[in-house]
Amino acid sequence: MHSSFKPPHQVKIGDAAAFAGTTPRAIRHYHEIGLLPEPERGGDDRRRYGHEDMIRLLWIRKMADAGIALDDIRDAFTTGTDSEDGIAGTLERLEETLAEQEAELRRQRTAVRRMRTEGSRMGLLSDFVTDRLKNLPEGSLRQADLDTLLVTERIFGPLGAAVQATRFIALATHPALREDSDRIDDAEEALDDSVPVDDPRVAQLAVERHIFESALQAVIEESGLDEDDDALFDAWDALHPEPTDNDEADISSGRRETGSMSAFEAIGKMPYDTSPAQWRCMDLAIELSAQDSPSS
């Protein structure tokens, strides 16, 4: 993301609720029952929510929307085994309920089946994204990958997340690329607030990021994953007829599945703990990519 716009480090409860598709009252209830740890407060004594808080809140909303009881969601987070043991009993009880209320809870049944087949977190993503990932080797997709797809789906919708999944498919199926990705990610993580923006490591790492992204894109093209992306757009268009004039206005303004928010507005409500040195590194890498583009 270019330096002309940077997401906040933290957001207030109202913005957190708007982004997650819930209410401040619901978030306060999550705090009260121990489902969502209460974050630090700012100088005005108001809660401030960071990146990890928002990731957890989004997963809570996904699980709750799928019909999982809040107590069971809390237990799943506590045990750290939400993909298997943490909610296994809940899934069985929920499926019995769904069998009795077929028409009213059809969407919940679909989500639960995906959760059981694909694993809890991946099964909570949309069908469009889950189908894109379902043929990956077991254990090759990381929780951080799913967290990223969750946020992308919230901002840009299922199509945006499904296209982004191409990156994680390439990494999951090419161990050498994954190793390089981990190394660069760790180096970027080390560019914390103590590192000045003119530190030589920043420019060097930008070069390494640019080289890696170019290699990743080459693998995507050589493996035909970019053609799969084209098929995704065709499949999406087939599932979603031509928009009306009003719908076109929403699309042109960046609106997706974020309620009344545009994608740009949604980005501004998702906090990231990114240092000035990390932003500078990203900007330099983008500049290098622009220099290599055919148009330049």
Side-chain angles (χ1 to χ4, degrees):
M1 187 172 297
H2 196 268
S3 58
S4 61
F5 177 79
K6 295 185 178 69
H9 280 274
Q10 297 176 317
V11 295
K12 297 179 181 179
I13 190 170
D15 286 338
F19 183 83
T22 186
T23 64
R25 180 177 181 180
I27 294 178
R28 294 188 186 98
H29 180 61
Y30 298 157
H31 293 321
E32 292 172 359
I33 65 175
L35 179 55
L36 181 68
E38 187 165 351
E40 63 183 40
R41 293 176 180 265
D44 55 2
D45 199 36
R46 294 184 177 181
R47 298 179 180 90
R48 292 292 189 275
Y49 296 82
H51 183 75
E52 295 302 320
D53 299 315
M54 290 301 300
I55 291 295
R56 181 156 177 156
L57 181 58
L58 286 172
W59 283 122
I60 289 171
R61 292 305 309 152
K62 282 284 189 179
M63 293 180 185
D65 288 346
I68 306 300
L70 295 184
D71 288 343
D72 292 312
I73 297 174
R74 180 184 58 215
D75 292 343
F77 278 112
T78 301
T79 61
T81 55
D82 54 295
S83 62
E84 296 181 5
D85 300 333
I87 58 172
T90 303
L91 295 178
E92 292 178 3
R93 294 194 299 272
L94 182 59
E95 285 182 334
E96 292 176 359
T97 301
L98 296 177
E100 298 172 356
Q101 304 177 23
E102 179 75 31
E104 295 83 356
L105 301 177
R106 183 173 300 171
R107 179 178 56 83
Q108 292 181 7
R109 176 185 287 278
T110 301
V112 170
R113 284 177 173 169
R114 286 205 313 271
M115 289 162 66
R116 184 179 294 282
T117 302
E118 308 294 350
S120 176
R121 299 291 178 92
M122 192 167 86
L124 288 167
L125 298 173
S126 68
D127 289 336
F128 214 65
V129 181
T130 302
D131 289 345
R132 185 81 169 104
L133 300 168
K134 64 182 180 182
N135 293 324
L136 286 178
E138 184 176 356
S140 62
L141 200 63
R142 299 179 178 181
Q143 184 58 52
D145 301 337
L146 294 174
D147 291 344
T148 299
L149 291 170
L150 173 72
V151 173
T152 300
E153 184 178 296
R154 178 59 180 151
I155 296 175
F156 297 106
L159 178 59
V163 172
Q164 186 186 46
T166 298
R167 179 186 187 88
F168 300 123
I169 294 171
L171 292 176
T173 52
H174 294 78
L177 274 179
R178 174 65 87 175
E179 184 177 343
D180 286 343
S181 178
D182 289 345
R183 177 181 57 80
I184 295 173
D185 287 347
D186 290 343
E188 288 176 343
E189 185 69 22
L191 299 179
D192 57 23
D193 290 329
S194 68
V195 179
V197 295
D198 57 355
D199 188 295
R201 289 175 292 172
V202 175
Q204 177 59 38
L205 191 54
V207 173
E208 294 181 26
R209 168 60 72 182
H210 169 60
I211 293 173
F212 167 76
E213 294 296 335
S214 298
L216 177 61
Q217 184 59 38
V219 167
I220 288 174
E221 293 175 358
E222 291 169 3
S223 60
L225 287 172
D226 57 333
E227 297 176 2
D228 293 340
D229 285 347
D230 292 338
L232 279 176
F233 283 99
D234 293 339
W236 183 264
D237 290 340
L239 291 171
H240 300 80
E242 288 294 324
T244 63
D245 292 340
N246 290 336
D247 290 336
E248 288 177 350
D250 284 344
I251 292 174
S252 64
S253 65
R255 298 191 185 279
R256 294 297 186 269
E257 295 184 357
T258 50
S260 59
M261 291 187 295
S262 69
F264 184 82
E265 291 168 334
I267 291 172
K269 296 182 186 301
M270 180 61 199
Y272 288 89
D273 187 19
T274 308
S275 71
Q278 290 166 343
W279 282 120
R280 180 56 179 162
C281 183
M282 283 187 278
D283 284 344
L284 289 174
I286 291 172
E287 290 174 7
L288 290 171
S289 297
Q291 292 172 9
D292 284 352
S293 66
S295 61
S296 61

